C-alpha cells in the first residue's frame, strides 16, 4: 500500500505540471507562429491599416488610415503637420493624392495656390506606398528571411519594452530577421494583429500599423466613394506671365496710366491674374509713392495682350501736389492666378521690403505661393526682419515641410521667431518643436516662441519651445530606440537638457516626449504610459526639477508629473 501511495502522488504531481510543460515544449516556435500569421493575412480579401510613420526618426506627426486589397488598390487618408490628404491607388502602380491647404503647404508649397483640394499623382508628400501594402505584400514582408529549420534565420521574442496587448488583444511581439516586429496573437489560431518596420515605406520611413481584415464587398463599397479621381492627368499648372514692351503712358496732375504688353506662357490661363505697378522716385524702387492694380484680360496660352494700369488717384494727386520734380520710375509686375495672385499682399510686400525681395520670391519655386509671400511680409513688417532674412527663412521652412505649421502660427500672431538665430539653428529635424508649438496654441496658449527667446528687457533665454502664456519652457525629446534601455536613456537625457535650459524667472520646465512609429512605446495607450516608463526604469529622481512630463504616443497625449514616478 505504501508503494502504491507513492505512485499515486507522483501521478498527481505530474498531472499538475504536465499541461503547461507540454505547451512550453511543443508550442510552435516564434518562426512557425510568424509563418502561420503570414499565411492567414495572405488569405484576406483586403486589409485595413491604421497607425503612424516616421521618416529618419524626425517626422513623428504622420498618421495613416488605409484599406488595401489583394490587387494593390487602396483608399484612405494620411495626416501630417496639421494637414490631411485623401489617397487612392488604382492597382496599376498609380497613386493619387488630394491634400488640403496645410498638407500642400507642407509637401508642395510651390503648387499650393492651385493644387489644394485637387487630385494629383503621387509625389505630394507621401512617405508610404499604398499599393505595396496589400495582404500579399504584408505576408511577404513577414516571411522575408525566415527559415523554419534554421535558427540563424528565425523570428525571436522582441524586447520587453514592446507591449503585450494591442487594443485589448493579447499578442506576442516577435522580431523579424529584417528588423521589423510582428505582433502575433498569443494563442492559436495565430494571426497578425500589428506590424512595425519598413513594409510599404518609401525612402527611410518606418511604419507602425494595426492590421484588420476587410471583406471584398466592404472594400468595393469604400473605394467607390473615390470614383471622381481624374486618372488622365495632373491639374494643369496656371500660366506665368511676363511684361514685354512698355508703352508710354499718359499722366497729368490728377491721374497717370501706364501700359505694358503682357504675355502668357503655355499654362492654364483660366484664372486671369492681375497686373500691379509700383511708382517710385528712384530706379531701385525704394521710395514708392503710388501703386496701381489692373485685372488681366483673357489671354490665350502663348499669346499676349496690352494691359493698362492706372495709379491710385489719391496717391498720385498727393505726390504731384508736393513734388517739384516730375520724374519717376514705374515697375509693372504680372501676378499669375494660382500662384501669387493677391495684389494687395504683393503691393504691401513691395512697399515694405523693396523690389529685390519680391524678385527673390518670384524666382524661387520653394516659396512661390501666397502663403509664403504672406509669411515674408509679416516677418518683415511685424517682427522687423530684413527682406533677405525673411526670404531665406521662408525658403527653409518650405523646403523642410514646416511652412504649413509655421505660417498659420505667425499669421495668427501666436509664434515669435528670432531673426538673428533662426537661419543658423533651424533644421528639418526641428519640426517636432514647431509641432509642439502648434499643439500648445491649439490647446489655448496665446503666444509661443521657438528658442532662443529674447524678452522685452533684452534678456535671452535658451530652450526648445517657450509657452509665453502658460509660462513654461518645453524641451522636446524623441523616444526612439528599440528597447527599455534606449527609452530610459532618452528620458534621462531629455530631463537633463530641460534642467540645463536658461529660463525666465517664474517659468516651469516641461519635458515633451514624442514616441514616434519607430519607438516601442508608440502602441502604448494613454492609460498605460506611466507604467511603460516605470517599466523602462524611469524614476522620480530622473525627473527632478521638471514641472510636467507630456508624452505623446500613437494612442494620444498624456501629462504626467515627477510625483507619478515615486
Amino acid at each position: 500500500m505504501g508503494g502504491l501511495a507513492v505512485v499515486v502522488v507522483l501521478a498527481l504531481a505530474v498531472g499538475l505540471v504536465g499541461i503547461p510543460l507540454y505547451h512550453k515544449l511543443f508550442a510552435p516556435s516564434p518562426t512557425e507562429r510568424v509563418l502561420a500569421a503570414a499565411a492567414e493575412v495572405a488569405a484576406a480579401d483586403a486589409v485595413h491599416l491604421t497607425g503612424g510613420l516616421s521618416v529618419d526618426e524626425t517626422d513623428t506627426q504622420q498618421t495613416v488610415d488605409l484599406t488595401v486589397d489583394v490587387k494593390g488598390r487602396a483608399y484612405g487618408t494620411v495626416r501630417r503637420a496639421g494637414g490631411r490628404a485623401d489617397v487612392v491607388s488604382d492597382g496599376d502602380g498609380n497613386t493619387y493624392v488630394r491634400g488640403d491647404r496645410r498638407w500642400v503647404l507642407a509637401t508642395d508649397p510651390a503648387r499650393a495656390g492651385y493644387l489644394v483640394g485637387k487630385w494629383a499623382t503621387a509625389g505630394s508628400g507621401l512617405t508610404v506606398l499604398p499599393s505595396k501594402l496589400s495582404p500579399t505584400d504584408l505576408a511577404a514582408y513577414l516571411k522575408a528571411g525566415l527559415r523554419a529549420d534554421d535558427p540563424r534565420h528565425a523570428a525571436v521574442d522582441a524586447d520587453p519594452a514592446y507591449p503585450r496587448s494591442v487594443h485589448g488583444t493579447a499578442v506576442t511581439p516577435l522580431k523579424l530577421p529584417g528588423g521589423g516586429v510582428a505582433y502575433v496573437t498569443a494563442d492559436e489560431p495565430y494571426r497578425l494583429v500589428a506590424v512595425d518596420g519598413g513594409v510599404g515605406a518609401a525612402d527611410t520611413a518606418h511604419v507602425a500599423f494595426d492590421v484588420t481584415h476587410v471583406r471584398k464587398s466592404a472594400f468595393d463599397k469604400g473605394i467607390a466613394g473615390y470614383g471622381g479621381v481624374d486618372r488622365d492627368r495632373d491639374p494643369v499648372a496656371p500660366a506665368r506671365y511676363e511684361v514685354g514692351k512698355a508703352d508710354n503712358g499718359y499722366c497729368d496732375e490728377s491721374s497717370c496710366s501706364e501700359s505694358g504688353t503682357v504675355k502668357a506662357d503655355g499654362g492654364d490661363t483660366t484664372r486671369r491674374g492681375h497686373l500691379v505697378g509700383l511708382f517710385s522716385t528712384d530706379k531701385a524702387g525704394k521710395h514708392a509713392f503710388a501703386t496701381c492694380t489692373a485685372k488681366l484680360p483673357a489671354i490665350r496660352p502663348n499669346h499676349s495682350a496690352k494691359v493698362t494700369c492706372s495709379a491710385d488717384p489719391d496717391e498720385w494727386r498727393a505726390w504731384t501736389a508736393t513734388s517739384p520734380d516730375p520724374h519717376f520710375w514705374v515697375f509693372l509686375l504680372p501676378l499669375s492666378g494660382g500662384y501669387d495672385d493677391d495684389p494687395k499682399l504683393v503691393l504691401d510686400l513691395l512697399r515694405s521690403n523693396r523690389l529685390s525681395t519680391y524678385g527673390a520670391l518670384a524666382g524661387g519655386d520653394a516659396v512661390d505661393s501666397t502663403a509664403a509671400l504672406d509669411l515674408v511680409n509679416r516677418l518683415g513688417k511685424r517682427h522687423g526682419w530684413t527682406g533677405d532674412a525673411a526670404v531665406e527663412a521662408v525658403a527653409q521652412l518650405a523646403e523642410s515641410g514646416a511652412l504649413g505649421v509655421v505660417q498659420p502660427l505667425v499669421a495668427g500672431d501666436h509664434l515669435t521667431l528670432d531673426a538673428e538665430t533662426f537661419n543658423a539653428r533651424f533644421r528639418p529635424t526641428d519640426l517636432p518643436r514647431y509641432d509642439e508649438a502648434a499643439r500648445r496654441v491649439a490647446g489655448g496658449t496665446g503666444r509661443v516662441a521657438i528658442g532662443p527667446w529674447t524678452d522685452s528687457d533684452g534678456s535671452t533665454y535658451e530652450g526648445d519651445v517657450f509657452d509665453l502664456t502658460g509660462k513654461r519652457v518645453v524641451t522636446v525629446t524623441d523616444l526612439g530606440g528599440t528597447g527599455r534601455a534606449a527609452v530610459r536613456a532618452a528620458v534621462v537625457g531629455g530631463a537633463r537638457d530641460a534642467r540645463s535650459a536658461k529660463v525666465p524667472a517664474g517659468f516651469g520646465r516641461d519635458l515633451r516626449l514624442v514616441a514616434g512609429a519607430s519607438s516601442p512605446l508608440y502602441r502604448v495607450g494613454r492609460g498605460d504610459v506611466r507604467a511603460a516608463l516605470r517599466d523602462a526604469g524611469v524614476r522620480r529622481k530622473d525627473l527632478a526639477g521638471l514641472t510636467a512630463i507630456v508624452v505623446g504616443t500613437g494612442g494620444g497625449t498624456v501629462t504626467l508629473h515627477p510625483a507619478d514616478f515615486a
Side-chain angles (χ1 to χ4, degrees):
M1 290 296 292
L4 180 60
V6 170
V7 172
V8 172
V9 171
L10 286 175
L12 289 173
V14 171
L16 289 173
V17 301
I19 294 176
L21 183 61
Y22 175 85
H23 280 299
K24 183 174 182 179
L25 292 175
F26 296 100
S29 69
T31 297
E32 291 170 327
R33 281 176 275 172
V34 171
L35 292 175
E40 182 265 349
V41 75
D45 294 331
V47 287
H48 183 208
L49 306 172
T50 56
L53 59 88
S54 59
V55 181
D56 287 332
E57 299 185 358
T58 62
D59 187 350
T60 57
Q61 298 300 313
Q62 295 196 40
T63 57
V64 176
D65 186 327
L66 293 172
T67 304
V68 191
D69 76 350
V70 292
K71 300 177 181 179
R73 296 184 301 163
Y75 66 89
T77 59
V78 181
R79 300 175 185 270
R80 59 158 290 165
R84 176 185 184 276
D86 296 320
V87 180
V88 174
S89 289
D90 61 8
D92 294 326
N94 302 309
T95 298
Y96 305 86
V97 181
R98 180 176 61 189
D100 63 12
R101 180 176 178 274
R102 288 196 178 188
W103 173 275
V104 181
L105 280 179
T107 59
D108 197 356
R111 300 199 290 172
Y114 70 96
L115 202 59
V116 172
K118 297 181 180 179
W119 290 102
T121 53
S124 297
L126 283 185
T127 47
V128 66
L129 305 174
S131 62
K132 300 298 183 181
L133 289 168
S134 71
T136 304
D137 293 319
L138 289 176
Y141 180 79
L142 296 179
K143 294 188 295 183
L146 288 178
R147 298 179 186 174
D149 56 351
D150 189 345
R152 296 173 300 176
H153 300 274
V156 297
D157 289 331
D159 186 277
Y162 288 89
R164 264 54 187 172
S165 175
V166 176
H167 302 304
T169 299
V171 297
T172 303
L174 301 171
K175 189 171 183 178
L176 305 174
V181 175
Y183 295 81
V184 179
T185 49
D187 299 312
E188 296 183 281
Y190 298 111
R191 61 183 178 84
L192 181 67
V193 177
V195 62
D196 296 355
V199 57
D203 300 324
T204 56
H206 184 103
V207 304
F209 291 149
D210 295 344
V211 183
T212 56
H213 290 195
V214 176
R215 293 184 180 275
K216 183 179 185 301
S217 58
F219 177 88
D220 291 339
K221 182 178 179 180
I223 201 169
Y226 294 84
V229 178
D230 182 359
R231 294 184 170 89
D232 295 330
R233 60 177 184 176
D234 277 354
V236 178
R240 293 182 183 274
Y241 300 86
E242 61 180 18
V243 178
K245 180 181 178 182
D247 298 329
N248 292 327
Y250 173 80
C251 300
D252 58 24
E253 292 183 354
S254 61
S255 66
C256 185
S257 297
E258 296 289 342
S259 300
T261 301
V262 178
K263 183 178 181 180
D265 66 8
D268 181 12
T269 60
T270 303
R271 300 173 66 172
R272 289 160 53 188
H274 290 83
L275 181 69
V276 299
L278 190 73
F279 295 74
S280 176
T281 59
D282 68 301
K283 62 181 179 181
K286 296 181 180 180
H287 303 99
F289 61 86
T291 59
C292 69
T293 302
K295 186 74 174 180
L296 293 180
I299 304 175
R300 288 183 296 163
N302 297 312
H303 285 70
S304 59
K306 181 179 178 180
V307 184
T308 299
C309 196
S310 299
D312 179 271
D314 293 336
E315 292 178 333
W316 179 260
R317 284 193 293 266
W319 180 71
T320 57
T322 59
S323 176
D325 185 356
H327 295 91
F328 61 91
W329 282 259
V330 181
F331 304 90
L332 296 178
L333 302 169
L335 307 182
S336 174
Y339 293 110
D340 51 4
D341 187 29
D342 187 334
K344 184 178 184 304
L345 173 60
V346 172
L347 290 172
D348 196 31
L349 180 67
L350 291 177
R351 283 183 174 277
S352 60
N353 291 305
R354 305 177 183 177
L355 284 170
S356 59
T357 298
Y358 180 81
L361 289 167
D365 289 339
V367 291
D368 193 8
S369 71
T370 299
L373 295 176
D374 177 68
L375 182 54
V376 170
N377 198 18
R378 290 176 185 274
L379 290 177
K381 293 189 67 176
R382 297 192 182 186
H383 300 282
W385 290 38
T386 65
D388 290 342
V391 169
E392 185 178 351
V394 173
Q396 289 191 50
L397 291 169
E399 291 169 2
S400 69
L403 184 62
V405 175
V406 177
Q407 192 269 342
L409 292 177
V410 175
D413 277 338
H414 295 298
L415 178 63
T416 299
L417 299 173
D418 189 297
E420 295 183 0
T421 60
F422 176 85
N423 289 320
R425 296 190 52 163
F426 178 80
R427 302 174 301 276
T429 53
D430 291 325
L431 185 55
R433 297 196 299 162
Y434 291 86
D435 286 336
E436 173 62 10
R439 190 188 71 85
R440 296 253 167 179
V441 169
T445 290
R447 290 186 65 81
V448 293
I450 302 297
W453 174 65
T454 302
D455 66 12
S456 57
D457 297 330
S459 299
T460 300
Y461 301 96
E462 295 287 340
D464 286 347
V465 181
F466 290 81
D467 182 342
L468 303 178
T469 304
K471 293 190 174 182
R472 299 289 181 88
V473 178
V474 189
T475 298
V476 182
T477 298
D478 178 59
L479 283 179
T482 58
R484 289 177 173 175
V487 170
R488 183 179 186 278
V491 175
V492 172
R496 181 176 60 248
D497 293 340
R499 285 191 294 268
S500 64
K502 181 183 177 183
V503 305
F507 274 57
R509 303 170 189 265
D510 285 1
L511 176 62
R512 165 72 168 171
L513 302 173
V514 181
S518 60
S519 170
L521 267 62
Y522 179 79
R523 298 185 182 282
V524 175
R526 295 176 68 250
D528 300 321
V529 169
R530 183 179 76 105
L533 291 176
R534 286 176 60 89
D535 189 49
V538 178
R539 297 293 180 262
R540 181 175 182 173
K541 64 179 181 179
D542 299 324
L543 306 172
L546 301 185
T547 306
I549 302 93
V550 184
V551 189
T553 71
T557 301
V558 61
T559 299
L560 304 170
H561 301 88
D564 295 324
F565 296 86

